[in-house]
Amino acid sequence: MKCSMCDSKKKLEFQVKNVKYESSGLDNVVIHKAKVYHCDNCGEEYIQYGNLDAIDSAIVEALLKKDDSLTGKEIRFLRTYKGYFGRAFAKRLDVSPEHLYRMEAKNKPVSEKFDRLVRLAYLSLPTDYNYDDIQDMLEGKKEMITFKRINLFPKGDHYSIQFA
């Protein structure tokens, strides 16, 4: 790999590191064993996370199964993962766009009622989950999970999740 920011012809070296997955918009997601390339000439860094679809899918699953209320950033992640603009998702929730934006911007746990509304709206969109998965997520028949951080570990062509 060569640097696309400068004229350096030198091949970029990489280190394997644990890296915060900042583009998810979430503060608590760390990708383990990501390749981080560094250009000695201009200082540019390139991060190779791996299969982003698999990572994002694992994050969605973790968010839908978590026991605590969703935070604003987590709601924004779920919304954007499904490809919804704020206005369209607010309409689906039957709330004003301003209300949804306030909830997403605060990044504090939302009320239990609003949390349930978001999860129901999200799960009513086309999904890969089957009916039993949805029932478990909504009725609390799931394993108790409390976490402050989601760690994703590469396992072949998929990722395993560790809750910390």
Side-chain angles (χ1 to χ4, degrees):
M1 174 181 231
K2 300 208 187 233
C3 183
S4 61
M5 298 303 287
C6 68
D7 294 332
S8 176
K9 305 291 187 219
K10 184 179 177 186
K11 183 179 176 183
L12 299 180
E13 300 295 323
F14 71 88
Q15 291 182 318
V16 176
K17 296 182 179 180
N18 297 341
V19 180
K20 186 175 172 185
Y21 182 32
E22 292 181 8
S23 60
S24 71
L26 301 171
D27 299 327
N28 59 349
V29 179
V30 176
I31 306 297
H32 290 258
K33 299 182 181 177
K35 289 183 179 178
V36 179
Y37 293 86
H38 180 80
C39 177
D40 292 333
N41 190 42
C42 70
E44 189 68 22
E45 279 194 345
Y46 303 90
I47 302 172
Q48 190 176 52
Y49 293 108
N51 183 341
L52 292 179
D53 289 335
I55 292 169
D56 289 345
S57 179
I59 294 169
V60 167
E61 183 176 344
L63 292 177
L64 292 176
K65 288 182 176 181
K66 80 179 257 190
D67 288 328
D68 299 339
S69 290
L70 297 169
T71 65
K73 286 184 178 183
E74 292 168 342
I75 292 169
R76 183 181 300 126
F77 179 86
L78 291 171
R79 174 178 62 77
T80 57
Y81 179 77
K82 281 287 190 176
Y84 270 74
F85 290 106
R87 188 169 297 282
F89 197 64
K91 184 176 179 179
R92 186 159 188 90
L93 297 173
D94 197 26
V95 298
S96 71
E98 294 78 20
H99 181 72
L100 178 62
Y101 296 141
R102 279 193 302 274
M103 294 295 105
E104 289 182 352
K106 286 182 184 175
N107 195 37
K108 294 181 180 173
V110 298
S111 71
E112 186 177 326
K113 184 178 178 181
F114 193 73
D115 176 84
R116 186 72 51 172
L117 180 62
V118 168
R119 291 180 202 229
L120 283 169
Y122 183 87
L123 290 169
S124 69
L125 299 171
T127 182
D128 293 334
Y129 293 102
N130 65 37
Y131 180 76
D132 292 332
D133 292 336
I134 293 170
Q135 287 298 105
D136 286 349
M137 288 177 203
L138 296 179
E139 292 180 11
K141 295 179 183 174
K142 59 197 175 289
E143 179 180 314
M144 297 295 286
I145 300 171
T146 305
F147 61 91
K148 296 186 187 305
R149 179 169 44 200
I150 306 167
N151 296 318
L152 299 169
F153 295 93
K155 299 283 186 191
D157 62 348
H158 67 282
Y159 286 80
S160 69
I161 303 171
Q162 175 194 36
F163 300 94

